[in-house]
Amino acid sequence: MPDVVIVGGGISGTAAAYEIARAGHSVTLFEARSLAAMASGWTLGGVRQSGRDPAELPLAKAAVERWGGLDEELDAATGYRRRGNLRLARTEAEIEVIRELVVEQRKLGLAIDYLPDNAAIRAIAPAIGSSILAASFCPGDGHADPVPVVRAFAAAAARHGATIRDGTGVRALQRTGDRVTGVETASGEIVSADQVIVATGIHAPELLTPLGLDLPLRVKLVCVLQSVPLPPLFEQVFGVANADCAGRQEVDGRLRVTTGIGDWPFEPASWTLDALAPRAADITALIARVTQVLPAAADAGIARLWGGLIDLTPDALPAIDAHTGLDGLIVAAGFSGHGFGIGPVTGEILADLALSKQPRFDLSPFRLDRFAREPAAGAALTLHG
Ligand SMILES: Cc1cc2nc3c(=O)[nH]c(=O)nc-3n(C[C@H](O)[C@H](O)[C@H](O)COP(=O)(O)OP(=O)(O)OC[C@H]3O[C@@H](n4cnc5c(N)ncnc54)[C@H](O)[C@@H]3O)c2cc1C
């Protein structure tokens, strides 16, 4: 019997598997599809501290420390580049948003600069268009290649003895009294464990609701466009003040750009790939926005388009919690469009919780029961990416 079972093979689950296995404990990870099949593969791949909620900033700062050493630690190329994040203002109103963001984030101790004009922006990123008026610049932010990262965590976990069972879904959690004791797989196999970590992104409520636990998620759609490889254009991640587009250039030269967060009128339990197809109007609007930011990308050939789903909680913060009212159950979901960058630290926290160690972060903002205690606020928008 493994000490720990993890359900979900995205960055949260695989990073946790790595930490638990390297601490010498037995761990089995179940992934219904393939590793990084959902948000951790759909993602832009931004690793940012800027624009974070104060509750998440300590995790994001610690994650940046971890990212710098991950290639060596995991013995794999993660594509991590620490070249900064530019958040751009395209109108006078957006200038005010950016100014305020810089003031607020500096108060929280983040090193972030205000770039007051186009020349200051182009001194850092010459490819940025001449109509961009101002920007914030957080030099400690960066980006990484998501699928290789998840595979690297899983491979390193396996080298430390973890069992990775991709293609094996979990149908239900096993419960005895006030304790979760294991999982039942889609084929009916029962696997017992001392601790079960649920890291299943938008699918988390399907496992939690039958146990009487409420994780209120609104599932949102973000569309992603990936170009053919282009010559080097820029090294940062860019976003915009109202979050209606973001992008980066991947290590192989492809642009990977995303729309803002939009509605998705389907149920997570029954989605199919068709339900993720980006709408033509969204892609047309995205191309126009990206072209304003990066005029040199205007004629870039499109290699791939996809839709990605966001597990948005009412306050746009995740649930990372072992105080579920059920011993042996740990929840890590609801990352609300920004769980990739903090993934390495999420893994560390989940390992601490599973192994009864005190995590080095204040996790009270991430309690699952806050949703039952407080009325759902309904965060209007979160800066994904
Ligand atoms: C378009 C887009 C852009 C984004 N950009 C950024 C960004 O720039 N920076 C950032 O930090 N974050 C970003 N995010 C958010 C980030 O990608 C996610 O928060 C993060 O990847 C969540 O990882 P996860 O492991 O918690 O969940 P997921 O990656 O969704 O993993 C959950 C896994 O669980 C599996 N699963 C589900 N149910 C079961 C079951 N019953 N049994 C077994 N397995 C199951 C799924 O197949 C899936 O692989 C973005 C997200 C999207 C969609």
Side-chain angles (χ1 to χ4, degrees), residues 168-192:
T168 308
V170 163
R171 182 157 66 198
L173 305 183
Q174 293 286 295
R175 172 187 189 164
T176 306
D178 286 341
R179 183 162 196 93
V180 167
T181 54
V183 298
E184 179 186 355
T185 69
S187 63
E189 181 189 356
I190 305 289
V191 179
S192 301

mmCIF file of all heavy atoms in Angstrom, residues 168-192:
data_model
loop_
_atom_site.group_PDB
_atom_site.id
_atom_site.type_symbol
_atom_site.label_atom_id
_atom_site.label_comp_id
_atom_site.label_asym_id
_atom_site.label_seq_id
_atom_site.Cartn_x
_atom_site.Cartn_y
_atom_site.Cartn_z
ATOM 1 N N THR A 168 -5.026 6.011 -16.266
ATOM 2 C CA THR A 168 -5.840 5.350 -15.238
ATOM 3 C C THR A 168 -6.583 6.407 -14.427
ATOM 4 O O THR A 168 -5.991 7.093 -13.591
ATOM 5 C CB THR A 168 -4.952 4.509 -14.286
ATOM 6 O OG1 THR A 168 -4.127 3.647 -15.071
ATOM 7 C CG2 THR A 168 -5.805 3.683 -13.337
ATOM 8 N N GLY A 169 -7.857 6.533 -14.689
ATOM 9 C CA GLY A 169 -8.669 7.507 -13.976
ATOM 10 C C GLY A 169 -9.105 6.991 -12.614
ATOM 11 O O GLY A 169 -9.155 5.780 -12.381
ATOM 12 N N VAL A 170 -9.414 7.931 -11.742
ATOM 13 C CA VAL A 170 -9.980 7.584 -10.433
ATOM 14 C C VAL A 170 -11.460 7.937 -10.461
ATOM 15 O O VAL A 170 -11.838 9.057 -10.800
ATOM 16 C CB VAL A 170 -9.239 8.339 -9.306
ATOM 17 C CG1 VAL A 170 -10.048 8.330 -8.017
ATOM 18 C CG2 VAL A 170 -7.867 7.710 -9.079
ATOM 19 N N ARG A 171 -12.291 6.949 -10.125
ATOM 20 C CA ARG A 171 -13.739 7.148 -10.183
ATOM 21 C C ARG A 171 -14.270 7.755 -8.890
ATOM 22 O O ARG A 171 -15.190 8.557 -8.903
ATOM 23 C CB ARG A 171 -14.390 5.772 -10.420
ATOM 24 C CG ARG A 171 -15.882 5.796 -10.552
ATOM 25 C CD ARG A 171 -16.370 4.596 -11.317
ATOM 26 N NE ARG A 171 -16.139 3.330 -10.622
ATOM 27 C CZ ARG A 171 -16.161 2.153 -11.221
ATOM 28 N NH1 ARG A 171 -16.366 2.062 -12.526
ATOM 29 N NH2 ARG A 171 -15.964 1.040 -10.540
ATOM 30 N N ALA A 172 -13.695 7.362 -7.765
ATOM 31 C CA ALA A 172 -14.214 7.836 -6.469
ATOM 32 C C ALA A 172 -13.137 7.702 -5.412
ATOM 33 O O ALA A 172 -12.192 6.904 -5.547
ATOM 34 C CB ALA A 172 -15.433 7.011 -6.063
ATOM 35 N N LEU A 173 -13.297 8.501 -4.358
ATOM 36 C CA LEU A 173 -12.430 8.359 -3.191
ATOM 37 C C LEU A 173 -13.078 7.363 -2.244
ATOM 38 O O LEU A 173 -14.305 7.306 -2.128
ATOM 39 C CB LEU A 173 -12.249 9.716 -2.499
ATOM 40 C CG LEU A 173 -11.726 10.854 -3.385
ATOM 41 C CD1 LEU A 173 -11.529 12.118 -2.549
ATOM 42 C CD2 LEU A 173 -10.413 10.470 -4.064
ATOM 43 N N GLN A 174 -12.264 6.575 -1.576
ATOM 44 C CA GLN A 174 -12.754 5.603 -0.600
ATOM 45 C C GLN A 174 -12.815 6.257 0.769
ATOM 46 O O GLN A 174 -11.844 6.907 1.193
ATOM 47 C CB GLN A 174 -11.783 4.406 -0.530
ATOM 48 C CG GLN A 174 -11.756 3.581 -1.794
ATOM 49 C CD GLN A 174 -13.000 2.732 -1.918
ATOM 50 O OE1 GLN A 174 -13.236 1.843 -1.112
ATOM 51 N NE2 GLN A 174 -13.804 3.010 -2.933
ATOM 52 N N ARG A 175 -13.931 6.053 1.480
ATOM 53 C CA ARG A 175 -14.091 6.700 2.774
ATOM 54 C C ARG A 175 -14.537 5.678 3.814
ATOM 55 O O ARG A 175 -15.408 4.856 3.547
ATOM 56 C CB ARG A 175 -15.151 7.795 2.643
ATOM 57 C CG ARG A 175 -15.538 8.416 3.939
ATOM 58 C CD ARG A 175 -16.708 9.348 3.741
ATOM 59 N NE ARG A 175 -16.958 10.109 4.938
ATOM 60 C CZ ARG A 175 -17.702 11.201 4.985
ATOM 61 N NH1 ARG A 175 -18.271 11.662 3.892
ATOM 62 N NH2 ARG A 175 -17.887 11.836 6.115
ATOM 63 N N THR A 176 -13.931 5.757 4.997
ATOM 64 C CA THR A 176 -14.397 4.977 6.140
ATOM 65 C C THR A 176 -14.575 5.958 7.296
ATOM 66 O O THR A 176 -13.592 6.521 7.783
ATOM 67 C CB THR A 176 -13.360 3.898 6.535
ATOM 68 O OG1 THR A 176 -13.056 3.115 5.375
ATOM 69 C CG2 THR A 176 -13.911 2.987 7.623
ATOM 70 N N GLY A 177 -15.811 6.190 7.686
ATOM 71 C CA GLY A 177 -16.075 7.180 8.735
ATOM 72 C C GLY A 177 -15.570 8.544 8.318
ATOM 73 O O GLY A 177 -15.879 9.020 7.212
ATOM 74 N N ASP A 178 -14.750 9.156 9.181
ATOM 75 C CA ASP A 178 -14.224 10.490 8.876
ATOM 76 C C ASP A 178 -12.844 10.432 8.255
ATOM 77 O O ASP A 178 -12.030 11.354 8.421
ATOM 78 C CB ASP A 178 -14.172 11.332 10.174
ATOM 79 C CG ASP A 178 -15.569 11.771 10.578
ATOM 80 O OD1 ASP A 178 -16.472 11.745 9.708
ATOM 81 O OD2 ASP A 178 -15.756 12.108 11.760
ATOM 82 N N ARG A 179 -12.573 9.375 7.544
ATOM 83 C CA ARG A 179 -11.234 9.209 6.975
ATOM 84 C C ARG A 179 -11.315 8.781 5.511
ATOM 85 O O ARG A 179 -12.133 7.924 5.156
ATOM 86 C CB ARG A 179 -10.515 8.145 7.817
ATOM 87 C CG ARG A 179 -9.137 7.918 7.417
ATOM 88 C CD ARG A 179 -8.203 7.224 8.366
ATOM 89 N NE ARG A 179 -6.886 7.527 7.799
ATOM 90 C CZ ARG A 179 -6.141 8.537 8.135
ATOM 91 N NH1 ARG A 179 -6.494 9.312 9.115
ATOM 92 N NH2 ARG A 179 -5.006 8.780 7.519
ATOM 93 N N VAL A 180 -10.509 9.387 4.686
ATOM 94 C CA VAL A 180 -10.349 8.906 3.307
ATOM 95 C C VAL A 180 -9.241 7.869 3.327
ATOM 96 O O VAL A 180 -8.146 8.122 3.849
ATOM 97 C CB VAL A 180 -10.042 10.080 2.349
ATOM 98 C CG1 VAL A 180 -9.556 9.574 1.007
ATOM 99 C CG2 VAL A 180 -11.303 10.927 2.176
ATOM 100 N N THR A 181 -9.532 6.713 2.768
ATOM 101 C CA THR A 181 -8.600 5.585 2.929
ATOM 102 C C THR A 181 -7.976 5.119 1.612
ATOM 103 O O THR A 181 -7.176 4.197 1.605
ATOM 104 C CB THR A 181 -9.344 4.387 3.558
ATOM 105 O OG1 THR A 181 -10.502 4.122 2.742
ATOM 106 C CG2 THR A 181 -9.773 4.688 4.979
ATOM 107 N N GLY A 182 -8.383 5.752 0.515
ATOM 108 C CA GLY A 182 -7.808 5.341 -0.762
ATOM 109 C C GLY A 182 -8.699 5.784 -1.906
ATOM 110 O O GLY A 182 -9.540 6.685 -1.739
ATOM 111 N N VAL A 183 -8.506 5.129 -3.051
ATOM 112 C CA VAL A 183 -9.264 5.507 -4.244
ATOM 113 C C VAL A 183 -9.781 4.258 -4.946
ATOM 114 O O VAL A 183 -9.240 3.154 -4.784
ATOM 115 C CB VAL A 183 -8.389 6.306 -5.244
ATOM 116 C CG1 VAL A 183 -7.906 7.610 -4.623
ATOM 117 C CG2 VAL A 183 -7.205 5.479 -5.743
ATOM 118 N N GLU A 184 -10.823 4.456 -5.742
ATOM 119 C CA GLU A 184 -11.310 3.408 -6.638
ATOM 120 C C GLU A 184 -11.050 3.882 -8.056
ATOM 121 O O GLU A 184 -11.484 4.984 -8.448
ATOM 122 C CB GLU A 184 -12.807 3.181 -6.426
ATOM 123 C CG GLU A 184 -13.364 2.109 -7.362
ATOM 124 C CD GLU A 184 -14.885 1.974 -7.247
ATOM 125 O OE1 GLU A 184 -15.497 2.636 -6.384
ATOM 126 O OE2 GLU A 184 -15.445 1.206 -8.045
ATOM 127 N N THR A 185 -10.355 3.097 -8.833
ATOM 128 C CA THR A 185 -10.047 3.514 -10.194
ATOM 129 C C THR A 185 -11.259 3.290 -11.107
ATOM 130 O O THR A 185 -12.225 2.623 -10.716
ATOM 131 C CB THR A 185 -8.842 2.738 -10.782
ATOM 132 O OG1 THR A 185 -9.260 1.383 -10.974
ATOM 133 C CG2 THR A 185 -7.629 2.799 -9.866
ATOM 134 N N ALA A 186 -11.156 3.807 -12.321
ATOM 135 C CA ALA A 186 -12.266 3.676 -13.268
ATOM 136 C C ALA A 186 -12.579 2.217 -13.565
ATOM 137 O O ALA A 186 -13.704 1.871 -13.920
ATOM 138 C CB ALA A 186 -11.923 4.431 -14.546
ATOM 139 N N SER A 187 -11.581 1.329 -13.416
ATOM 140 C CA SER A 187 -11.837 -0.097 -13.690
ATOM 141 C C SER A 187 -12.261 -0.847 -12.430
ATOM 142 O O SER A 187 -12.388 -2.075 -12.447
ATOM 143 C CB SER A 187 -10.583 -0.745 -14.294
ATOM 144 O OG SER A 187 -9.535 -0.683 -13.350
ATOM 145 N N GLY A 188 -12.444 -0.130 -11.314
ATOM 146 C CA GLY A 188 -12.946 -0.771 -10.106
ATOM 147 C C GLY A 188 -11.873 -1.240 -9.141
ATOM 148 O O GLY A 188 -12.180 -1.789 -8.082
ATOM 149 N N GLU A 189 -10.616 -1.015 -9.486
ATOM 150 C CA GLU A 189 -9.520 -1.401 -8.584
ATOM 151 C C GLU A 189 -9.518 -0.474 -7.353
ATOM 152 O O GLU A 189 -9.654 0.742 -7.485
ATOM 153 C CB GLU A 189 -8.192 -1.255 -9.344
ATOM 154 C CG GLU A 189 -6.960 -1.643 -8.554
ATOM 155 C CD GLU A 189 -5.666 -1.273 -9.299
ATOM 156 O OE1 GLU A 189 -5.741 -0.780 -10.451
ATOM 157 O OE2 GLU A 189 -4.597 -1.447 -8.715
ATOM 158 N N ILE A 190 -9.368 -1.068 -6.184
ATOM 159 C CA ILE A 190 -9.287 -0.267 -4.954
ATOM 160 C C ILE A 190 -7.820 -0.164 -4.552
ATOM 161 O O ILE A 190 -7.124 -1.188 -4.438
ATOM 162 C CB ILE A 190 -10.072 -0.936 -3.797
ATOM 163 C CG1 ILE A 190 -11.525 -1.213 -4.208
ATOM 164 C CG2 ILE A 190 -9.989 -0.080 -2.529
ATOM 165 C CD1 ILE A 190 -12.401 0.004 -4.353
ATOM 166 N N VAL A 191 -7.352 1.057 -4.366
ATOM 167 C CA VAL A 191 -5.966 1.267 -3.915
ATOM 168 C C VAL A 191 -6.027 2.050 -2.605
ATOM 169 O O VAL A 191 -6.518 3.177 -2.569
ATOM 170 C CB VAL A 191 -5.140 2.038 -4.968
ATOM 171 C CG1 VAL A 191 -3.716 2.277 -4.468
ATOM 172 C CG2 VAL A 191 -5.129 1.285 -6.294
ATOM 173 N N SER A 192 -5.553 1.435 -1.529
ATOM 174 C CA SER A 192 -5.586 2.076 -0.216
ATOM 175 C C SER A 192 -4.355 2.966 -0.045
ATOM 176 O O SER A 192 -3.306 2.720 -0.655
ATOM 177 C CB SER A 192 -5.582 1.020 0.893
ATOM 178 O OG SER A 192 -6.696 0.178 0.736
#
